[in-house]
Amino acid sequence: MDSAKQRRARAEKSISNLSGSFPLELILAGLALLLLTYVLWQLPYFGDWEVVYYAAGRSVVDPYTVPGFFNAPWLAWILAPFTLFPLHLSGTLWMVLSTVVGLWCIHRLGGGIPAAALCLLSPAYIRFITSGQVDAVPLLGFVLLLTVQELSWAGLGIALVLVKPQVFGAGLLTYWVNLERKEKLFILWLPVLLLVLSFALYGFWPLQMGWQHLTRKVDVTPWPYGIPIGLALLAWSIRQKEPALGGFSTFFLVPYASPSSVFAYTAVLFSLAPRWLSVITFLFLWLMALTIM
């Protein structure tokens, strides 16, 4: 995988190259967005969006009354504006936005059209949109960490990853450990502020999550057998100052991950890994989807 500096340079170059053909790109992007909206509107059901996240967005005062909401409370603040729309329309808009965020992340990482195609054609993306999930939020936060230099934006990235830390949470450790001492303190002001504010509003909300509603029927992690792999990847990522590897180590260190969360991993992996590895992973995911899941 490329170094963090190489990714940032490539991201800046790709953005500057885009400006020369901006009107055409804008027209094509607009047409693609309309087509995507139409296709997603035809889906009959958006899974957890309709039973968990829409309800949490409507219950900002106490989102933990919603069974299945296991996220930081500021996710409910992000979801709240979408509840101004009817249920199915809000799900369509959320999944369109999530897809756009995923494509922006791939572009930001320099993945290009091949990476975007592999990501959107993978069973992980199909599972993601039909499950109505929110993994685009930690994905956006993690890509900000990987590609920005401004600590204020990186702090926002940390806050977004903490919405669902079981996706890329270990990558935060790699990123933070390799900062300078002053940077380690400054970068935490926004996440700490959100935590203090959330505890003031909701009390110690981790204990309010309805853990009895958590099910592992669709778990895809190799827990606990993957722990040695995860620890090795995490240690290597810290030594090499490579948060992307730390992010991937999370998959092996957490006791549960939904198949829909694999979408976030594919967006990063297909953008940074060699093409041959991306294609092998793509084929493996389809093999797993057709034979096991």
Side-chain angles (χ1 to χ4, degrees), residues 198-215:
S198 65
F199 288 145
L201 292 174
Y202 304 107
F204 193 68
W205 45 265
L207 294 181
Q208 300 178 36
M209 297 180 182
W211 297 110
Q212 70 273 16
H213 300 290
L214 180 63
T215 175

Side-chain angles (χ1 to χ4, degrees), residues 143-240:
V143 170
L144 287 176
L145 288 180
L146 294 179
T147 60
V148 301
Q149 295 181 341
E150 299 83 359
L151 291 182
S152 56
W153 283 105
L156 174 62
I158 292 176
L160 294 178
V161 172
L162 290 177
V163 159
K164 196 171 182 180
Q166 63 268 38
V167 181
F168 289 117
L172 297 183
L173 179 60
T174 302
Y175 179 86
W176 188 79
V177 165
N178 288 293
L179 291 174
E180 299 293 334
R181 179 179 297 181
K182 292 182 179 179
E183 293 176 333
K184 287 180 180 179
L185 294 176
F186 180 80
I187 201 173
L188 293 178
W189 75 265
L190 179 58
V192 170
L193 176 62
L194 287 174
L195 283 172
V196 171
L197 180 61
S198 65
F199 288 145
L201 292 174
Y202 304 107
F204 193 68
W205 45 265
L207 294 181
Q208 300 178 36
M209 297 180 182
W211 297 110
Q212 70 273 16
H213 300 290
L214 180 63
T215 175
R216 296 186 58 189
K217 293 181 180 179
V218 290
D219 180 29
V220 295
T221 64
W223 175 273
Y225 309 105
I227 292 177
I229 299 175
L231 292 176
L233 277 177
L234 180 59
W236 183 251
S237 70
I238 293 175
R239 182 172 181 177
Q240 297 297 314

Side-chain angles (χ1 to χ4, degrees), residues 26-106:
L26 184 62
I27 293 173
L28 293 177
L31 292 174
L33 188 61
L34 288 175
L35 177 60
L36 175 64
T37 304
Y38 174 77
V39 171
L40 292 179
W41 174 255
Q42 303 307 309
L43 295 178
Y45 184 63
F46 288 113
D48 283 348
W49 174 265
E50 301 195 4
V51 297
V52 177
Y53 297 115
Y54 188 80
R58 298 185 65 180
S59 306
V60 175
V61 175
D62 191 2
Y64 298 107
T65 59
V66 179
F69 186 76
F70 303 112
N71 308 91
W74 50 90
L75 175 62
W77 308 345
I78 297 173
L79 300 176
F82 290 86
T83 63
L84 298 175
F85 303 96
L87 178 59
H88 194 71
L89 176 58
S90 69
T92 300
L93 294 176
W94 177 258
M95 298 319 301
V96 167
L97 179 60
S98 296
T99 304
V100 171
V101 166
L103 292 174
W104 182 87
C105 290
I106 293 171

